[in-house]
């Protein structure tokens, strides 16, 4: 099995153990917040039939289809592909299990997704998403819009990650406004407005002209897209544009209510702002839409979502939903890759039990067992080397404590050098030392 | 989007929310044990280049290759496939990152694997494995054999699952014995002995004859395979067969030591026994081998592993390892499917805050916030229905407590009917109610 050193696969990020511990701490924290809000965990299968995956059309060329390597002839494709998001599996799962679910159905899923894209900074072929959604049966109160916003705000506010600005708009507001200025095809205009951040206003002005908007309509659309604010004042700005339409009024009222309900969850780490240029390219959004950004990730959003009045339907029953999807890999991998996010240990161990000599191994094993029984992650030194070497073993792995068996036992904090007598039946480290700590640096 | 109800995909198991909570409790508990022993988490990518996957040859027809749906012509295959176990990725990861890892390298991974097999009871196309391995650099002390046994024993003993019997043998012992009776191709004999449980002794006797063994050799091999015992007495039985060989002696001594070191971890839920018919078909095992069984799963093993003296090599350095792989899906999915393992809730919520009227919503949200801030999973009733309906909402989901805002607030345990005054700043449920509880039934 003598072979050359393998190289990483582009678009399939992997971490070293201390980095993986950081990813896991983040995922555990997200999960804890989601569960505190009553969201149930789902782990949908990784594959869907191709007709489920291709329902949205536009993403079809990103799908990885599974083929059995040694399947015969025409039977090669399995007819299934890897999911590229967690919304398609959710819609299918709800239709498949509707009779056995309780609505409103709150679920989170933190799972891997795959896209056969050309990899580049922030785009991966394999990546983890963390989604929260609330699904109703035929109806879903407007209150759910604010709820998912608050859940994501709390989840991200607890973590020492770059501050997120969640920009919020409402499709009904925007559609109503477009209708009010006499635009026939609001979807095409929204698709152009969605390009504002990347293409700039001049380019979008041309696009809107090419769609047949007259200059006054174009300027109104651009003016709406400029509206931004962290409180209800944005509504006055919209009204000041002088457009009137019942759908606009309804959307404005929904968005104002969602912003008000989400306001208490705003923090230094997570700001919720109305930003009416947020359109989200996807057809199925029908109400509130969000997109979250961090300064560290430029113009690429780290979370996104919105309301869809028909996530799924079985003909008789329609399942409206609202949700937010956080790009865990997109958020973390660049930080980890640049050394801005890590943990202080390569192992979960809090204590290394030193081994004075080979005969002491059973007694040392018993010390380790006693510490573990009280929730303290412990490993045993592999060999009865001299103590200086055993201390270096701990140091290289970031293990904070070394335990020396004796009469009495002693425990040394290798960071401070402090050494004190200790009993494995009662000694505990400070709570912050029990698990690896997240270590962050500001981007320079 | 009106479509027919989707049907499950054979071989890709999925769970309802209360069932998924059971799977997650089991995985969390495994993880906690692995980390208490100092094993670091890895999450390797899901794919490997085909040459990594096909190195073992025999499994090649089970591999799912990824193909980009809309790739052009000959470029269709991506050259990568989904991993079918967690050992191949570990071997590749160690070679790729050796210079950045600390040895002995203890890692666990709990991840999904895929095989393009025909699905049947206990065989899945997508399944979760939980692996623990210790990897050395050029050398790995024999002590590691017992260590991984103890870790898996403790991990499984903590869980209310069917008792596991871990059957242990040693390749060197068996090879030495075969050499001692004059057998030229021990690997072929081991492959036949490995079929004893399924094919029976008479069929295996014929296979051994067909391999060219004379009747005396055949009977010696079958006699060795019958040796079984939970203490060191098994060694006397082996010696009583009268075969002598230095490799046999070394293997016997290793296995005796491993059994002695693992003995304290044996429990009603996890018995470790020497069983010399355990051979493990795979070539790369070179020392201890294990296979674990439960009565509930018949002759299909639920965990397996062993020692490999060359998990990986880069020419200069060899990485020996020892590990055990637990089939999480294989163990849990049949129990969950037959209703023998579940949790008592469809949601993580411990408390439902009842909504007396729409105006009370902000105050109710604040109660929920206070409870969550103290780690109590809480959801808010969706509508100000009459209280009987709100209680049924909680009951249908298995939420144990309903909170009624008032002067003072009251909290009702809906299982006992007890209702008491309570303050959201200080009330706590019993610890066992904080999270969904595992509910098990014996197989009938």
């Amino acid at each position: 099995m003598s072979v050359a050193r393998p190289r990483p696969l582009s678009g399939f990020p992997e971490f070293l153990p201390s980095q993986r511990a950081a990813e896991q701490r983040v995922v555990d924290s997200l999960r804890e917040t989601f569960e505190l809000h009553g969201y149930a965990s789902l782990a949908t299968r990784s594959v869907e039939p191709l007709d489920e995956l291709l329902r949205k059309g536009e993403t079809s060329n990103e799908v990885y289809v599974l083929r059995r390597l040694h399947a015969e002839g025409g039977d090669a494709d399995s007819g299934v592909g890897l999911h590229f998001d967690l919304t398609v599996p959710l819609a299918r799962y709800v239709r498949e299990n509707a009779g056995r679910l309780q609505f409103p159905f709150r679920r989170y899923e933190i799972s891997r997704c795959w896209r056969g894209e050309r990899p580049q900074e922030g785009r991966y072929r394999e990546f983890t998403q963390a989604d929260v959604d609330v699904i109703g049966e035929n109806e879903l109160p407007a209150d759910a819009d604010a709820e998912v916003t608050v859940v994501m705000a709390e989840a991200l506010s607890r973590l020492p990650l770059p501050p997120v600005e969640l920009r919020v708009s409402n499709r009904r507001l925007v559609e109503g406004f477009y209708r009010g200025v006499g635009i026939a095809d609001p979807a095409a205009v929204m698709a152009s407005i969605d390009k504002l951040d990347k293409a700039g206003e001049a380019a979008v002005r041309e696009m809107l002209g090419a769609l047949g908007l007259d200059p006054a309509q174009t300027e109104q659309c651009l003016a709406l897209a400029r509206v931004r604010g962290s409180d209800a004042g944005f509504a006055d700005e919209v009204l000041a544009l002088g457009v009137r339409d019942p759908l606009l009024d309804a959307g404005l009222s929904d968005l104002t209510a969602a912003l008000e309900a989400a306001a208490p969850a705003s923090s230094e780490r997570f700001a919720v702002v109305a930003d009416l240029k947020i359109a989200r390219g996807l057809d199925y959004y029908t109400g509130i839409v969000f997109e979250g950004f961090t300064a560290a990730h430029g113009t690429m959003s780290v979370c996104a979502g919105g309301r869809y009045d028909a996530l799924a339907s079985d003909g008789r029953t329609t399942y409206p939903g609202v949700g937010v999807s956080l790009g865990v890999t997109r958020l973390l991998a660049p930080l980890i890759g640049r050394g801005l996010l890590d943990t202080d240990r390569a192992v979960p161990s809090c204590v290394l039990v030193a081994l004075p000599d080979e005969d002491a191994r059973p007694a040392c094993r018993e010390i380790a067992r006693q510490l573990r029984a009280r929730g303290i992650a412990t490993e045993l030194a592999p060999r009865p080397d001299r103590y200086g070497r055993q201390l270096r073993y701990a140091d290289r792995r970031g293990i904070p404590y070394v335990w020396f068996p004796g009469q009495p036992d002693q425990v040394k904090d290798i960071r401070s050098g402090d050494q004190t007598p200790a009993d494995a039946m009662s000694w505990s480290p400070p709570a912050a030392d029990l698990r690896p700590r997240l270590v962050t640096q500001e981007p320079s």
Side-chain angles (χ1 to χ4, degrees), chain A:
Chain A
M1 254 201 247
S2 166
V3 285
R5 188 170 140 198
R7 292 165 48 202
L9 274 180
S10 176
F12 292 90
E14 274 186 342
F15 301 129
L16 289 171
S18 67
Q19 299 170 333
R20 161 62 182 162
E23 181 189 46
Q24 205 166 25
R25 286 298 294 268
V26 169
V27 165
D28 285 347
S29 176
L30 293 173
R31 196 182 134 186
E32 191 180 336
T33 305
F34 300 161
E35 293 184 358
L36 280 173
H37 283 265
Y39 287 69
S41 172
L42 276 193
T44 54
R45 64 192 188 216
S46 302
V47 306
E48 294 296 332
L50 290 179
D51 59 349
E52 293 283 345
L53 291 171
L54 303 182
R55 194 159 287 163
K56 286 192 204 166
E58 57 182 320
T59 49
S60 58
N61 55 6
E62 298 171 357
V63 171
Y64 276 128
V65 182
L66 300 195
R67 181 172 77 72
R68 287 192 298 126
L69 184 61
H70 284 194
E72 292 97 39
D75 191 29
D77 265 0
S78 58
V80 301
L82 294 170
H83 58 223
F84 50 79
D85 70 9
L86 301 175
T87 303
V88 170
L90 174 62
R92 188 265 313 155
Y93 183 92
V94 165
R95 295 200 328 273
E96 183 174 323
N97 297 291
R100 295 179 289 175
L101 300 175
Q102 306 288 337
F103 294 93
F105 175 46
R106 289 181 174 82
R107 87 85 178 81
Y108 76 92
E109 177 159 4
I110 304 176
S111 288
R112 285 179 167 180
C113 302
W114 295 266
R115 297 189 185 202
E117 293 193 345
R118 187 172 301 277
Q120 46 181 297
E121 177 79 12
R123 298 219 179 255
Y124 303 95
R125 289 176 162 171
E126 176 171 62
F127 52 96
T128 299
Q129 296 280 117
D131 282 28
V132 291
D133 289 84
V134 193
I135 311 294
E137 194 172 18
N138 289 323
E139 51 148 6
L140 181 68
D143 197 51
D145 293 4
E147 182 186 306
V148 295
T149 316
V150 168
V151 172
M152 197 53 83
E154 288 189 12
L156 286 170
S157 298
R158 288 172 62 163
L159 289 163
L161 297 174
V164 170
E165 182 180 273
L166 190 75
R167 301 177 191 158
V168 187
S169 182
N170 184 294
R171 278 284 182 100
R172 302 210 290 163
L173 184 167
V174 175
E175 263 191 68
F177 184 93
Y178 290 175
R179 210 161 70 177
V181 299
I183 289 169
D185 183 2
V189 174
M190 267 185 245
S192 300
I193 291 291
D194 201 33
K195 302 198 166 71
L196 267 172
D197 268 341
K198 278 164 193 163
E201 206 171 278
V204 171
R205 187 176 279 116
E206 277 189 40
M207 292 179 210
L208 295 179
L211 288 174
L213 271 61
D214 66 34
Q217 288 173 322
T218 296
E219 292 314 313
Q220 285 280 49
C221 291
L222 290 172
L224 183 73
R226 272 182 229 117
V227 172
R228 222 184 107 85
S230 58
D231 60 30
F234 85 94
D236 297 333
E237 288 187 55
V238 175
L239 294 173
L241 296 175
V243 179
R244 288 294 171 274
D245 179 273
L247 193 63
L248 165 60
D249 292 345
L252 207 48
S253 149
D254 280 2
L255 184 54
T256 306
L259 281 171
E260 273 170 8
S266 270
S267 69
E268 280 181 20
R269 294 195 184 281
F270 195 92
V272 181
V273 297
D275 187 331
L276 301 192
K277 74 173 173 300
I278 295 300
R280 306 283 300 129
L282 301 171
D283 275 355
Y284 50 76
Y285 290 114
T286 50
I288 197 169
V289 285
F290 336 85
E291 219 167 348
F293 297 86
T294 80
H297 293 72
T299 60
M300 185 161 275
S301 66
V302 294
C303 64
R307 175 181 274 257
Y308 23 80
D309 283 340
L311 170 74
S313 169
D314 60 11
R316 286 161 313 177
T317 312
T318 297
Y319 301 94
V322 61
V324 189
S325 176
L326 173 70
V328 175
T329 303
R330 184 181 279 189
L331 180 61
L332 301 186
L335 300 174
I336 291 173
R338 279 182 263 156
L340 305 175
L341 180 67
D342 204 340
T343 57
D344 58 356
R345 298 185 207 163
V347 290
S349 311
C350 175
V351 176
L352 175 76
V353 178
L355 194 59
D357 51 62
E358 196 53 53
D359 291 345
R361 198 181 280 274
C364 291
R365 262 199 211 119
E366 178 58 19
I367 292 168
R369 200 193 58 72
Q370 288 169 348
L371 292 169
R372 288 182 198 124
R374 294 188 299 106
I376 302 164
T378 302
E379 62 181 272
L380 192 58
R383 272 178 304 271
D385 292 325
R386 59 189 170 75
Y387 279 164
R389 238 180 125 159
Q390 298 194 44
L391 283 164
R392 277 208 303 285
Y393 177 101
D395 191 40
R396 271 201 300 267
R397 287 159 177 78
I399 302 173
Y401 297 95
V402 177
W403 193 280
F404 299 104
Q407 301 290 344
D409 293 355
Q410 304 244 341
V411 66
K412 182 183 193 107
D413 180 332
I414 67 168
R415 298 159 302 186
S416 65
D418 292 349
Q419 185 165 331
T420 51
D423 179 340
M425 302 291 276
S426 58
W427 176 85
S428 285
D433 284 340
L434 272 175
R435 297 195 296 165
R437 289 182 212 227
L438 283 178
V439 179
T440 57
Q441 282 179 39
E442 295 298 314
S444 59

